[in-house]
Amino acid sequence: MTRKRQAIIVASALIAATAGVPLLVNAANASQPAATRIAAPDVKRSETGAYIVQLDDSPVAEYDGDIAGLAATKVAPGGKLLKTAAPVIDYVKHLAGERDQLLKTNNVKKLYDYNYTYAGFSAEMSYDDAVKLAKSSGVKSVEPSEIEHADTVDTPRFLGLSGKGGAWQQAGGVDKAGDGVIIGMIDSGYTPERPSFAPMKTTKQSDAIIAKKWKGTCQAGEEAPVTCNNKVIGARYFDKGIGTRPIPEEYKSPRDYGGHGTHTASAAAGNYGVEMSVMGRDYGKGSGMAPHARLAIYKALWAVDATGGGSGTDADIVAAIDAAVADGVDVINYSISGSGSSYVNATGLAFLRAAKAGVFVATSAGNTGPGEATVGKTYPWVTSVANGTHDRDIQTTVTLGNGKSYTGAGIGAGVPQTSVILAKDAGLAGADPANLTLCQAGTLDPAKVKGKIVVCDRGVNARVDKSLQVKNAGGVGMILLNLTPSTLDSDLHSVPTVHLDDKAAPEVKAYVGGTTNPTATISAGTPVRVTAPMVAASSSRGPSPAGNGDLLKPDVMAPGTNVLAATTAFSAAGGEYAFMSGTSMSTPHVAGIAAVLKAKHPAWSPMAIKSAMMTTATDKDTAGNPIKNDSGSQANPFGYGAGLVQPKLGMDPGLVYDSTYTDWTKFVCGSGQVPATHELCADGKIDLSDLNYPTIAIGDLAGRQTVTRTVTNVGKLPEVYFPKVEGLKGLKVTVSPRILVTLPSRSTTYKVTFENSGAPLEQYSFGRLVWKSTKHSVASTLAIKPLTVKAPTQVNGTGTSGSVQVPVTAGYAGTLNTTAVGLDAAAVGEAALKNPGGVAFPTTAPKANDHVAKFTANVPAGTTHARFSTFDADYPAGTDLDVFVYRAGTTTLLGSSTGGSAEEEVNLPRPAGGPVDVYVDLYAGANEQTVKLNHWELQKAAGNLAATPASQQVTVAGQTSVTASWTGLTAGTRYMGQLGFSDGADGSGSTLVRVDG
């Protein structure tokens, strides 16, 4: 306030004078009264057209009564502001008068008045008017009203797409990011009305590029038809395989019902600058990773139940892949589940040909983590994407009646202090206790829940279903608790919700369950910056179930937790945008980034694009520390692959590791998944570790092994590179040559030899091989597992007696001891099934039905190996079974096998003891079928299997053999045993022996 400022300045002058201290005044301003000297204001331009104006006066909470006739209103320590108090009313009138004087003389449109915690107002005005207002007497400051947000527009900043020197700028600007590139989305369709898919401004050159390659169509559909434009240039749907299974609410068209496809499409290539809001809260302007790429929609997933989740058949999915490649897409996004144990299933082969046709394929790594060897779709010709957290989080705090507070995830409004109850204490009479703690449908008693916050356990039913059940029972809020380490998700809940981790869960339950009249307060969600990335617990991990660990999967990590993007009204609680989590959400980030790279480098192959992402990825978080799991433990490349993608660096990677269709077929042939006579073996085979891949993995290092790699200079100048090896303690690494001289567009080959020199046996060691020039750093992640011995995973035999040779390569020098376990006859369970499902098994909510059988088997403590199998020989041609193994009574998936036949197999090496639930799903085949589950739990020698010799001397990398012989078996019975190899200390290894008697 001008009068107040004058009073202070005058008082200062008097004090200085009476103290005998000279008062210095700048001669240039000596004739101007101090109170009216005004510095030139520095007003920043507002992109929104609105500004916030702060008055010189104090707000009510701070006004100390220095204006004559106006009593103080400031809040005393421990007191509260009472806006109805007479002094407050009087002072607010004074502030209104100050505002009115300013508004009379300035051309502005007022939006809000501020009185109590801020003295001023906000208004829409031109920049010139803002500058003028800032010079007015009585104004302390004028600042732009910016959008404070946390959404997908922040992901480009986090990943280095936006900003100075970012990938978008390197591409020529936002309007060049993905320009001329088509991304095919194989998913659940899209919602054409979302602004993310609105027509965009293009150039004749860009349109010509698209017209030349695009051969697709826009299939409007029969129900809720869609219309394409120059953003979504094509749309098709595939439902012949899914048949009549979709729910009535589904659309027989490319239109999305469940929301998954809309979300992934907008995350990959949604338009730039789209305003996004959730539950009435503005989260700013969002963007896809490749905002100028075109989209082609291929709906192959359908809502088959009330949850709206997408399910699709391989028949429809492969048709969609086929159509996408034929239509001319450059990139495919595939955020759909799949097996990691096969390279040659239908989907894998379809993608093999897509990659051969020059299509970059991004696939989700899966959401069955954090267990080992859970990663899916491990084909080397696709890019498998892990789920990492974002450095933007939206947090909510719950404060209990005992004063303790816990912070978790939540985006909704808060709940004032109210009663809180554990779900287990809020049930209807006769409610199943297990279902009750999970807040499942039909378990909560409205008489106990009404007006209260309910504490629900995570698991089985969808997180958002739990809050819906609370709302239906009259509850006003929910505390959702993780029982084991897992992600915290900002879902769209039916009541305000805070999602807490497993560490907080026991304390919350102890207070609520052990307190008379417990209460809780839930705050509103608040965007915050956090250290990132961390690997989401649900993100599937390596090592790859296929290939014996000789290929590192997943490939890279991208943000996939609490991703904000467009979706359907069903998933957005009637809105247009929602936060979703999973590798489904991380994958379109990579698909979009691939489009940006493709637009910048149209001649690059899909593998060159993949290499550029992988060799420039980072294994550090925003604090500069090694990436962690979201549980707080140290992560490793089996969780994040090569690391978090950094497209800013990937635009100019220096060197790339390229590979071709012939390389991939040799890889498949070397995997042993096809016989030597298979067409994929026409060009021979390679050791899987020798595939020219950006990472190096050896899952079976027997003392010493050399791998070969070839790099291509994709820069414009010659460069000289020098190698540096990081990590791999206990392993001697030799790189040859020690210098690479690379010429533009030319390739250079090098070799790396790994030798065990004291590294622990049977454990993976991780590191990096970095080739550095004066301009580039090209990093290859290393994952090496030194073995006691390298031996076949399994050998097979037939007959009631016989033998088979087992070749062995030693990983150490000393004595090799070999023992035998089994042979055990298979235990066989049978069940009658009917009505083949033809839809994806609900892995997060397993249950038996007419086409799914549930078997419970006991795995005794000390079991060396457990296997659960079905065999083609037991079924008519065309039968397709899937097998899923869970820890009994839980949703913890231990393993699965989902090939395209009745030949399925789940292995549990050295399993923890206890019962397991095994689900066998009749996916396709005869309408009625008896299924047989064969299983073995190996523990001890049965006296019918011998290993010769039992002891022998070996040398490092030396080759020898052991003979497995058997006798006394029953004809027509399936047996399994195991040879155990030991160095007499900690080292061990094994080979399974399968014999059909």
Side-chain angles (χ1 to χ4, degrees), residues 102 315 444 511 638 675 687 977:
L102 288 169
L444 296 173
Y511 164 75
F638 287 147
D687 185 289

Side-chain angles (χ1 to χ4, degrees), residues 670-850:
S671 73
Q673 292 195 1
V674 296
T677 55
H678 196 280
E679 61 182 5
L680 292 176
C681 292
D683 292 307
K685 65 180 181 179
I686 59 172
D687 185 289
L688 272 58
S689 296
D690 277 328
L691 179 67
N692 200 45
Y693 216 67
T695 53
I696 298 176
I698 303 176
D700 52 4
L701 178 67
R704 186 187 309 113
Q705 185 170 338
T706 299
V707 300
T708 302
R709 289 292 187 272
T710 299
V711 290
T712 302
N713 183 338
V714 292
K716 297 180 180 179
L717 298 172
E719 287 192 81
V720 179
Y721 286 85
F722 298 89
K724 179 182 179 182
V725 177
E726 304 169 351
L728 292 187
K729 184 177 181 181
L731 287 166
K732 180 182 177 182
V733 183
T734 305
V735 183
S736 177
R738 295 291 300 171
I739 182 173
L740 290 182
V741 179
T742 65
L743 300 176
S745 303
R746 300 291 293 273
S747 298
T748 307
T749 297
Y750 68 88
K751 295 181 181 294
V752 188
T753 299
F754 301 90
E755 184 173 354
N756 190 1
S757 58
L761 297 172
E762 310 301 326
Q763 297 180 28
Y764 272 95
S765 293
F766 301 101
R768 302 201 329 156
L769 168 60
V770 184
W771 287 99
K772 290 188 175 182
S773 71
T774 56
K775 184 180 179 181
H776 296 102
S777 180
V778 184
S780 289
T781 300
L782 310 174
I784 313 297
K785 183 180 181 181
L787 299 184
T788 307
V789 297
K790 182 176 182 178
T793 303
Q794 180 174 308
V795 293
N796 301 303
T798 59
T800 57
S801 62
S803 65
V804 63
Q805 291 292 113
V806 183
V808 175
T809 303
Y812 67 100
T815 302
L816 172 65
N817 302 304
T818 307
T819 56
V821 175
L823 297 163
D824 291 354
V828 182
E830 295 188 5
L833 299 178
K834 61 181 180 180
N835 302 325
V839 294
F841 181 79
T843 54
T844 58
K847 62 180 179 180
N849 54 42
D850 57 356

Side-chain angles (χ1 to χ4, degrees), residues 152 187-188 256-267 278 307-309 367 387-390 392 394 411 463-464 487-492 538 559-573 576-586 588-589:
T152 53
D187 214 299
S188 63
D256 187 10
Y257 174 77
H260 190 272
T262 302
H263 201 275
T264 56
S266 61
V278 180
T307 67
N367 301 317
N387 172 6
T389 61
H390 200 291
R392 172 267 298 132
I394 303 173
I411 61 173
R463 298 183 298 270
V464 293
T487 54
L488 298 179
D489 301 281
S490 298
D491 299 306
L492 279 174
S538 60
T561 299
N562 295 335
V563 174
L564 177 59
T567 190
T568 61
F570 175 86
S571 286
E576 298 184 346
Y577 305 94
F579 292 91
M580 294 185 181
S581 299
T583 53
S584 284
M585 281 65 244
S586 57
H589 286 81

Side-chain angles (χ1 to χ4, degrees), residues 627-661:
I627 292 173
K628 293 183 178 180
N629 297 312
D630 65 3
S631 62
S633 63
Q634 194 62 54
N636 62 46
F638 287 147
Y640 54 72
L644 180 74
V645 289
Q646 297 187 106
K648 180 178 180 178
L649 300 178
M651 296 290 281
D652 179 22
L655 304 174
V656 298
Y657 295 82
D658 211 343
S659 57
T660 66
Y661 177 79

Side-chain angles (χ1 to χ4, degrees), residues 178-456:
D179 192 37
V181 177
I182 306 169
I183 302 178
M185 305 296 302
I186 300 177
D187 214 299
S188 63
Y190 81 118
T191 306
E193 294 79 16
R194 296 294 176 263
S196 296
F197 310 123
M200 62 183 188
K201 185 178 180 180
T202 62
T203 64
K204 290 183 179 179
Q205 181 183 12
S206 175
D207 291 341
I209 293 172
I210 296 298
K212 184 177 180 180
K213 72 175 75 173
W214 177 242
K215 307 300 179 185
T217 185
C218 187
Q219 186 181 10
E222 299 177 19
E223 298 173 357
V226 303
T227 302
C228 299
N229 53 31
N230 69 349
K231 178 64 178 180
V232 180
I233 61 174
R236 303 177 69 170
Y237 64 99
F238 302 84
D239 62 351
K240 292 180 180 179
I242 201 71
T244 59
R245 297 181 187 90
I247 58 177
E249 292 84 354
E250 250 289 13
Y251 307 111
K252 190 176 179 62
S253 76
R255 183 176 290 275
D256 187 10
Y257 174 77
H260 190 272
T262 302
H263 201 275
T264 56
S266 61
N271 287 327
Y272 179 78
V274 173
E275 293 284 355
M276 295 184 176
S277 63
V278 180
M279 299 180 72
R281 180 170 185 167
D282 182 13
Y283 283 92
K285 295 180 179 180
S287 173
M289 299 301 99
H292 230 255
R294 316 298 178 102
L295 285 165
I297 305 299
Y298 299 87
K299 181 176 178 178
L301 299 184
W302 304 81
V304 297
D305 55 40
T307 67
S311 295
T313 68
D314 284 339
D316 290 337
I317 289 169
V318 173
I321 298 170
D322 198 50
V325 175
D327 287 347
V329 303
D330 301 292
V331 175
I332 287 176
N333 185 87
Y334 187 79
S335 295
I336 302 174
S337 63
S339 172
S341 60
S342 174
Y343 297 125
V344 291
N345 55 12
T347 304
L349 292 176
F351 283 138
L352 173 68
R353 281 62 181 254
K356 183 181 181 182
V359 177
F360 179 95
V361 181
T363 65
S364 51
N367 301 317
T368 55
E372 291 186 355
T374 51
V375 62
K377 302 175 290 296
T378 55
Y379 326 117
W381 45 86
V382 307
T383 302
S384 307
V385 188
N387 172 6
T389 61
H390 200 291
D391 72 341
R392 172 267 298 132
D393 196 11
I394 303 173
Q395 297 181 347
T396 297
T397 298
V398 59
T399 302
L400 304 179
N402 60 7
K404 290 187 176 181
S405 296
Y406 304 88
T407 298
I411 61 173
V415 179
Q417 187 174 31
T418 190
S419 297
V420 59
I421 187 171
L422 295 175
K424 76 177 187 65
D425 299 325
L428 292 164
D432 181 273
N435 293 340
L436 177 59
T437 61
L438 298 168
C439 295
Q440 292 203 43
T443 61
L444 296 173
D445 186 348
K448 300 174 182 176
V449 170
K450 186 176 181 180
K452 297 179 181 178
I453 297 170
V454 182
V455 181
C456 303

Side-chain angles (χ1 to χ4, degrees), residues 149-176:
H149 58 272
D151 56 10
T152 53
V153 79
D154 213 32
T155 304
R157 174 203 55 79
F158 179 44
L159 296 181
L161 283 158
S162 61
K164 185 178 181 180
W168 285 349
Q169 186 181 78
Q170 292 182 56
V174 172
D175 60 350
K176 295 294 183 183

Side-chain angles (χ1 to χ4, degrees), residues 82-94:
L82 183 61
K83 70 176 184 179
T84 57
V88 172
I89 293 173
D90 290 342
Y91 187 63
V92 167
K93 289 179 180 178
H94 163 75

